Amino acid sequence: MFQYQTLNTLQCERFSHFAEYLQQENRAFNLTRIVDTSQIYLRHFADSLEALPWLDAVMARSEKPRLIDVGSGAGLPGLAIAIARPQWEVISLDATGKKIGFQQRLIRRLGLANVTALQGRAEELAHQPAFRERFDAVLARAVAHLQVVCELCVGFLSIDGRLVTAKGSEVGPEIEQARSTFATLQLDLETVTPYSLSDLAQKMETPLEGEDASFNLLVLTKKASISSRYPRPFGAIKKSLSGPYSTGAR
Ligand code: SAH
């Protein structure tokens, strides 16, 4: 069974079922390249939970804490966070219907009452009043280049809200390229925290199988409201990227 630091038995059971259902549905829907149970625990679940310490503080300020995961794919990190923090309201957003279909079935199976899986495009939804500046935190894992991620996510954030996004080990140049985007979008890059698969294995109290790898967790805070121009249509965001385009895949 999945094991992780402070999670209780129900939460760990939910993670184990999540992995089983992901493996089962993956054959039909091609949801992830990571198929081995221990690798799902490590690279999907423990990796997603790495955001928790950066979220707890900002979510604690809110009476009804709300979080959105942009481009959640098979439900990562959004559903993992929803399992770990049942007191938070979580929206798990993805543009692809088959991925949201999978998430909705999973949510029902696990009986998760605090999360909604929603099909839609971030750059459209972020202009709707019910979504604009309505979230204490936004997550995005492996969605796009950092500049694109910032623009897709910032509209959702309330002032002083946080964007937490995981990147690979070589994030330095991507950050330098994104400096002007941070300024335009009123984002302060607060911290860049390196972590590795062996750190994650330690939190699961299991030995690391296979090779180690390192990543960075970026935490950005929104300092002020932004122009209603942003986010622009996806084509315009991609076109204005400085430097080589990256898919954000890790
Ligand atoms: N966060 C997941 C999935 C990463 S793949 C994980 O870490 O495993 C990127 C996902 O982002 C895809 O499922 C894609 O459908 C979604 N996506 C890309 N651009 C998007 C947009 N503009 N709005 C909503 N979802 C988007």
Side-chain angles (χ1 to χ4, degrees):
M1 195 167 85
F2 182 70
Q3 253 193 311
Y4 187 88
Q5 282 187 338
T6 57
L7 296 186
N8 65 32
T9 309
L10 172 66
Q11 290 168 319
C12 291
E13 280 171 4
R14 282 177 161 158
F15 275 110
S16 299
H17 287 144
F18 188 162
E20 281 168 29
Y21 194 55
L22 181 60
Q23 287 166 327
Q24 189 185 318
E25 295 270 295
N26 200 37
R27 291 177 204 124
F29 296 109
N30 198 18
L31 298 158
T32 177
R33 279 171 295 156
I34 298 168
V35 291
D36 178 70
T37 305
S38 62
Q39 293 295 312
I40 290 176
Y41 287 178
L42 182 75
R43 289 171 177 265
H44 278 332
F45 299 164
D47 185 73
S48 294
L49 297 174
E50 201 62 13
L52 283 176
W54 303 102
L55 297 172
D56 282 332
V58 71
M59 299 298 267
R61 295 197 304 237
S62 192
E63 255 175 48
K64 211 175 173 313
R66 294 183 82 210
L67 173 151
I68 184 165
D69 180 15
V70 171
S72 53
L76 299 154
L79 266 51
I81 296 292
I83 294 171
R85 292 290 183 269
Q87 69 277 28
W88 298 349
E89 184 190 335
V90 174
I91 305 280
S92 179
L93 175 72
D94 201 281
T96 309
K98 68 168 187 175
K99 294 184 180 178
I100 291 301
F102 164 77
Q103 290 191 37
Q104 288 169 339
R105 293 191 295 279
L106 177 64
I107 289 167
R108 269 199 303 275
R109 283 182 161 231
L110 297 181
L112 295 175
N114 62 320
V115 55
T116 306
L118 192 67
Q119 185 187 356
R121 295 206 57 93
E123 65 275 22
E124 292 168 8
L125 219 58
H127 288 286
Q128 292 184 12
F131 288 87
R132 187 130 187 124
E133 295 197 348
R134 291 300 179 96
F135 293 87
D136 305 287
V138 182
L139 302 175
R141 193 183 81 148
V143 173
H145 190 283
L146 184 56
Q147 285 163 273
V148 179
V149 166
C150 287
E151 187 161 343
L152 290 177
C153 293
V154 70
F156 294 116
L157 279 177
S158 52
I159 312 302
D160 291 331
R162 266 185 173 172
L163 166 61
V164 180
T165 185
K167 285 276 162 192
S169 58
E170 302 297 325
V171 73
E174 205 172 325
I175 290 176
E176 288 318 310
Q177 282 171 20
R179 292 273 178 208
S180 63
T181 302
F182 297 160
T184 308
L185 298 178
Q186 301 288 346
L187 288 166
D188 264 6
L189 177 60
E190 277 188 39
T191 54
V192 179
T193 309
Y195 67 98
S196 65
L197 289 179
S198 53
D199 296 334
L200 302 181
Q202 215 165 32
K203 291 181 184 176
M204 293 168 48
E205 293 170 27
T206 53
L208 177 67
E209 291 170 25
E211 261 183 57
D212 205 356
S214 53
F215 310 100
N216 283 287
L217 200 64
L218 274 58
V219 176
L220 300 105
T221 297
K222 180 171 173 179
K223 302 316 287 176
S225 283
I226 53 156
S227 158
S228 59
R229 278 186 70 210
Y230 301 107
R232 295 163 291 168
F234 196 69
I237 302 176
K238 251 174 75 174
K239 220 166 139 185
S240 68
L241 262 188
S242 50
Y245 182 67
S246 144
T247 60
R250 303 184 324 170

